[in-house]
Amino acid sequence: MQLRYSFRLYPSAGQRMALARAFGCAQVVYNDALRARETARSEGLPFPKTGDLSKRLITEAKNSPERAWLGDVSAVVLQQSLRDLDTAYRNFFDSLKGKRPRMGAPRYKSRKDTRQSVRFTANARWSITPGQKLRLPKIGDLKVKWSRTLPSTPSTVTVVTDSAGRYFASFVVETGPEEVLPEVAPEVGIDLGLGHFAVLSDGAKVDSPRFLRRAEKRLKKAQRDLSRKKKGSSNRNKARIKVARAHAKVADARREFHHRLSAQLIRENQAIAVEDLAVKGLTRTRLAKSVHDAGWSAFVNMLAYKAARYGRVLIRIGRFEPTSQVCSQCGVKDGPKPLHVRVWTCGACGAVLDRDINAAINIAKAAGLAVTACRAQVRRTSVPAPRSEAGTHPKRPTRLAWEQAGIPGF
């Protein structure tokens, strides 16, 4: 499978200018190609092909006085910009056919976008120098912070700058079957939540770090300082970068937590079962901030690709499974319960169940995993007989019924 490895870049002032020039040229070619196709569609003309657009918007445009500055950047960067537009149109048409979730048509890129990227393929003849620097055509040798070793020779590299003003090099590498981990016996079900980020079917609970909640005070101050700066001023741009860096710090901490936890679960378990949560619906409730702070979708996606990479099994069960309503001991459905009820007693077998552990066990059972329910049972209590079986009168008798029966002392 293909994986991306990202490393921090530290370009010099001149290299930042060269990268900004490459970002701008790629954006112009993308917008020109999108405008050409939109014009052809409105006039009822055939859809322009990528080869024709490349010849007109890159090769011929470089010889014109209006677009002569396109020759200052690598031609591969401009070609890849056209490929990005093709991908955007392909995804849009596939969404109309129902092959993928619904998405909008390609839109024009703005020079005010805080995130920019350019991609270099093998044709660009980029390389890693003996001094462990990244050599890019018409940009130079960039200093790279190598945090780990690449597993194989990368095929492409994408240079990205984010809203916080940081630069990254993202390499695409191929991984082989040699990374498959040896098989292990444990299988686990995971119940994702807000009180605890994850509760496992073996009884383990992982606390929710709440990175956004913990950083709210600092984010509030940075955002307040930004709102007081004059629009278009240099001080406002500095304040905007402070806000972006504060948010980037929160996002990086959350991503690191997801990576560590998902790697541990994949390493220790042969099969993992999770619930397909309706995250988009939950983000429209009063729990929206906490749901975004948890990042369940990103965590499950990490589990998915790591399971495929290391030879593990990830099973997703339907979101409508009544995992919180069914007793994991006897299988009797006890009905829905409000969120504040964290421990409940099964009316059929008398097992006192932890709500989250019980749900995790039911998730594993729904996925067909072999798990035990011993940790879900807290204790057993005496269960009174149901009202319908306690006597001949399932309902409380009225005063008239007692008088008609001739029972004194009512």
Side-chain angles (χ1 to χ4, degrees):
M1 62 182 301
Q2 287 187 336
L3 294 176
R4 283 192 176 273
Y5 281 71
S6 294
F7 302 92
R8 185 77 181 271
L9 290 178
Y10 295 92
S12 63
Q15 290 170 346
R16 286 197 296 268
M17 292 181 61
L19 286 173
R21 190 181 304 113
F23 294 146
C25 291
Q27 171 191 308
V28 167
V29 171
Y30 183 95
N31 290 342
D32 288 347
L34 178 57
R35 187 178 299 108
R37 287 181 170 173
E38 289 295 315
T39 302
R41 182 187 62 83
S42 61
E43 296 178 357
L45 299 177
F47 197 73
K49 296 182 179 180
T50 304
D52 298 335
L53 292 176
S54 176
K55 180 179 179 181
R56 182 169 46 143
L57 301 179
I58 298 178
T59 307
E60 296 178 358
K62 288 181 180 180
N63 300 323
S64 64
E66 296 82 6
R67 293 284 192 268
W69 35 265
L70 290 177
D72 296 339
V73 301
S74 172
V76 174
V77 169
L78 308 181
Q79 294 286 351
Q80 294 302 311
S81 183
L82 295 180
R83 295 203 188 322
D84 290 341
L85 180 61
D86 287 342
T87 302
Y89 268 110
R90 190 182 309 112
N91 293 339
F92 170 61
F93 292 141
D94 288 345
S95 69
L96 296 180
K97 298 175 184 177
K99 296 181 180 179
R100 58 176 298 137
R102 190 65 181 267
M103 62 184 305
R107 295 182 297 180
Y108 293 101
K109 293 185 177 181
S110 172
R111 62 182 179 85
K112 296 183 179 180
D113 291 341
T114 56
R115 187 185 185 280
Q116 303 281 351
S117 66
V118 289
R119 186 167 61 255
F120 297 86
T121 61
N123 294 335
R125 297 182 181 178
W126 62 272
S127 62
I128 299 175
T129 65
Q132 296 301 304
K133 289 189 176 182
L134 177 61
R135 178 169 295 170
L136 298 177
K138 298 189 178 181
I139 294 178
D141 296 348
L142 285 76
K143 181 181 178 182
V144 185
K145 181 68 174 180
W146 299 102
S147 56
R148 50 186 171 170
T149 305
L150 293 173
S152 61
T153 303
S155 58
T156 65
V157 59
T158 303
V159 179
V160 182
T161 178
D162 61 5
S163 57
R166 303 178 299 176
Y167 291 84
F168 296 91
S170 178
F171 297 91
V172 176
V173 298
E174 290 278 351
T175 60
E178 64 275 1
E179 292 191 337
V180 175
L181 296 174
E183 293 189 7
V184 293
E187 297 177 341
V188 70
I190 304 176
D191 178 56
L192 300 175
L194 297 177
H196 290 88
F197 177 78
V199 178
L200 310 185
S201 57
D202 60 3
K205 294 185 177 182
V206 181
D207 290 333
S208 181
R210 295 185 174 90
F211 295 106
L212 180 61
R213 295 289 186 181
R214 286 159 47 187
E216 274 186 326
K217 187 175 181 180
R218 183 174 68 253
L219 292 171
K220 181 179 179 181
K221 182 180 182 302
Q223 188 65 49
R224 183 171 61 245
D225 294 341
L226 173 62
S227 65
R228 293 172 177 173
K229 299 296 187 292
K230 183 179 179 181
K231 290 187 177 181
S233 65
S234 178
N235 286 335
R236 182 179 177 86
N237 186 52
K238 294 178 183 178
R240 182 197 63 79
I241 294 178
K242 286 184 179 181
V243 173
R245 286 178 177 174
H247 280 286
K249 187 175 182 179
V250 173
D252 291 345
R254 184 187 299 115
R255 189 181 304 110
E256 176 71 11
F257 168 74
H258 288 165
H259 272 298
R260 289 182 180 273
L261 181 58
S262 60
Q264 178 184 353
L265 292 173
I266 290 295
R267 186 170 53 251
E268 297 176 353
N269 299 277
Q270 183 64 31
I272 299 175
V274 295
E275 190 175 9
D276 183 20
L277 297 173
V279 177
K280 187 176 293 186
L282 291 172
T283 55
R284 292 194 288 265
T285 66
R286 60 185 178 87
L287 302 175
K289 183 180 290 188
S290 298
V291 172
H292 284 301
D293 192 10
W296 294 326
S297 296
F299 174 71
V300 174
N301 290 337
M302 288 183 186
L303 284 177
Y305 90 78
K306 289 180 182 180
R309 178 182 181 184
Y310 297 112
R312 300 305 198 210
V313 179
L314 178 68
I315 305 173
R316 305 191 193 198
I317 69 168
R319 63 185 61 171
F320 298 108
E321 287 286 339
T323 56
S324 297
Q325 305 177 23
V326 176
C327 174
S328 58
Q329 296 283 311
C330 62
V332 174
K333 187 175 180 181
D334 203 17
K337 302 162 189 63
L339 289 177
H340 69 270
V341 177
R342 310 314 303 172
V343 178
W344 57 283
T345 304
C346 177
C349 65
V352 180
L353 305 167
D354 181 284
R355 179 193 184 108
D356 297 327
I357 300 178
N358 179 74
I361 294 175
N362 287 330
I363 289 174
K365 288 184 175 181
L369 303 185
V371 297
T372 60
C374 58
R375 294 298 298 272
Q377 177 181 333
V378 179
R379 61 186 181 275
R380 284 191 177 274
T381 59
S382 58
V383 182
R387 297 292 296 268
S388 59
E389 301 177 3
T392 57
H393 301 284
K395 297 182 180 180
R396 178 178 175 84
T398 62
R399 178 189 298 269
L400 179 60
W402 283 98
E403 292 176 350
Q404 291 177 351
I407 300 176
F410 182 80

